[in-house]
Amino acid sequence: MKKLLTFILFICFIINKNAIIYSASEALNIWSKSLFPVLYPTLILSDVLLASGIINKIPKVLYNIYSRIFKTSPYGLFVFLVSVFSATPTNAKILKDLYDNKLIDKNSLSKILSQTIFFNPILILTFSNLKVLIIMWVSNILTSFILRNKLVSNDITLKDINFKFNLNESIEKNMKTILNILGTLTLFLSLSSIIPIKNQILKTFISGILEITSGFSRIKLYLTSPLNDIMMLIFVSLASFSIIMQIKSILKETKFDSKYFYVSRFITLILSLFIYFIA
C-alpha cells in the first residue's frame, strides 16, 4: 500500500510539473521573505538568551508556581514566555537545548512542547484578528492544565545553567534547522498544489492542514467571517503536517511522546472552537 501511494504521488508530480515548479518557487518566496528574516535571527537569539543567564533572572517563585500548576519542569515557564513571541518551531529548538543539557526530562519536553505551539502574533493579526490570537494562547494553556496529570515529571528542581555561546556553531546549527524548514515547506506546498479539488473552502482546509502558511493565505483570499476565524483556529490548533515534520526533525534524538502531542492538539482544537462560540 505504501509503495502504491508513493507511485501515485510520483505520477501526480510528473503530471503537474508546472504546478510543482510554481509551488517550489512560492515556497522559496515565503521562506526568504517571511520565515528566514524572522525565524533565523530568532533561533540565534534563543542561543544568546540561554547563554546570557536571563533564564535565571525570572523570580524562582514564578517558576515554582508554574511547575506546581502543570506538574512539569519549571523551565517550561521560560519556554512559554519566549514562544509567545518567537513562535513554533523556536520552542522545539529551545527544548532540545534544555534536554541536551539535562535540565528537563522527556516527560517535561513533551508536555511543554504541546503547551507552546504558537504562531507569530504579527502573522496571526495579518491574516485574522486579536480574538483568534488570544484564543490560541488561552486554549494551549487550558489544554496543558487539563493534561497536567499526564507525563508528570519528577525532575522539577531548578539547576545551575551553564550554556556557552559560540557564534559559528550557532550559525551552522541553526542554518541546518532553517534549511530543513525550507525543505518541508516546499514539499507540503507542492502537495497542496496538486490536489484536484475545485471547492475553495475544502481546498483551503486541506492546504492549511498540509502547510499552514498556504492555508493562511487562502483564508484571506477566499473566506469571510466567521468561517475565516474558524478555519484559522483549526490551523493554529492542529499546526500542520509541515510544522509537525519540522518539530520532529528538531527533536528526532529525544524520542518525545508523540501520542501526548497529538492528543493535546485535538483537545486544543475543541477548546478553541468552544471559546470562540461562547466569547
Side-chain angles (χ1 to χ4, degrees):
M1 186 66 180
K2 187 175 180 180
K3 291 181 178 179
L4 178 60
L5 287 174
T6 302
F7 177 73
I8 292 173
L9 279 175
F10 177 75
I11 295 299
C12 288
F13 270 65
I14 295 298
I15 294 174
N16 297 277
K17 183 181 68 173
N18 291 334
I20 297 300
I21 293 173
Y22 175 80
S23 297
S25 176
E26 183 64 17
L28 184 58
N29 184 54
I30 293 172
W31 180 83
S32 63
K33 293 183 178 180
S34 301
L35 297 181
F36 184 85
V38 175
L39 189 55
Y40 186 62
T42 301
L43 291 172
I44 294 179
L45 180 60
S46 70
D47 287 339
V48 174
L49 287 175
L50 288 172
S52 69
I54 193 173
I55 193 171
N56 295 317
K57 303 300 181 182
I58 299 175
K60 289 185 178 181
V61 64
L62 296 180
Y63 277 128
N64 291 331
I65 291 172
Y66 172 89
S67 183
R68 289 174 183 174
I69 291 175
F70 299 110
K71 297 184 179 181
T72 190
S73 169
Y75 291 118
L77 176 62
F78 174 77
V79 181
F80 177 85
L81 293 175
V82 175
S83 300
V84 164
F85 300 101
S86 60
T88 302
T90 306
N91 61 331
K93 188 264 178 188
I94 296 174
L95 286 167
K96 176 69 162 52
D97 290 337
L98 293 173
Y99 181 82
D100 288 345
N101 284 272
K102 297 181 171 52
L103 294 172
I104 61 173
D105 58 19
K106 188 173 72 171
N107 283 353
S108 290
L109 185 151
S110 301
K111 184 174 285 189
I112 297 166
L113 171 70
S114 300
Q115 184 192 40
T116 55
I117 300 297
F118 299 135
F119 296 90
N120 189 293
I122 296 175
L123 184 68
I124 299 297
L125 293 175
T126 298
F127 291 101
S128 190
N129 52 60
L130 184 60
K131 181 179 180 179
V132 169
L133 178 63
I134 293 173
I135 290 175
M136 176 185 70
W137 289 335
V138 172
S139 59
N140 273 280
I141 295 172
L142 289 176
T143 297
S144 191
F145 183 75
I146 290 170
L147 297 175
R148 66 192 183 281
N149 291 318
K150 304 293 183 182
L151 300 183
V152 174
S153 175
N154 295 319
D155 189 7
I156 57 173
T157 57
L158 292 168
K159 302 174 183 177
D160 293 332
I161 297 177
N162 186 28
F163 284 99
K164 294 182 179 179
F165 178 73
N166 182 294
L167 181 58
N168 289 332
E169 290 180 1
S170 181
I171 289 173
E172 182 179 355
K173 176 180 63 175
N174 291 310
M175 196 65 204
K176 289 180 180 178
T177 300
I178 203 74
L179 286 174
N180 178 273
I181 291 172
L182 172 61
T184 54
L185 175 66
T186 302
L187 173 62
F188 286 102
L189 202 60
S190 298
L191 284 173
S192 66
S193 71
I194 63 174
I195 297 173
I197 296 175
K198 293 185 178 180
N199 184 284
Q200 296 299 342
I201 296 176
L202 182 57
K203 188 157 186 175
T204 298
F205 174 77
I206 294 175
S207 295
I209 292 298
L210 288 174
E211 202 292 302
I212 199 164
T213 311
S214 173
F216 286 171
S217 299
R218 292 187 63 84
I219 283 174
K220 199 168 182 81
L221 286 173
Y222 300 110
L223 304 185
T224 57
S225 184
L227 187 57
N228 56 350
D229 289 346
I230 294 171
M231 200 74 81
M232 281 288 294
L233 289 171
I234 292 173
F235 294 162
V236 299
S237 297
L238 299 179
S240 69
F241 282 111
S242 177
I243 292 293
I244 292 172
M245 289 298 294
Q246 292 168 27
I247 291 171
K248 284 189 172 184
S249 176
I250 294 170
L251 300 176
K252 60 184 177 182
E253 297 174 1
T254 66
K255 298 180 180 178
F256 74 98
D257 194 321
S258 56
K259 181 180 178 181
Y260 179 93
F261 177 82
Y262 293 129
V263 169
S264 74
R265 290 301 90 216
F266 179 74
I267 294 176
T268 300
L269 172 61
I270 300 301
L271 288 172
S272 295
L273 296 178
F274 176 75
I275 294 171
Y276 178 80
F277 285 114
I278 67 170

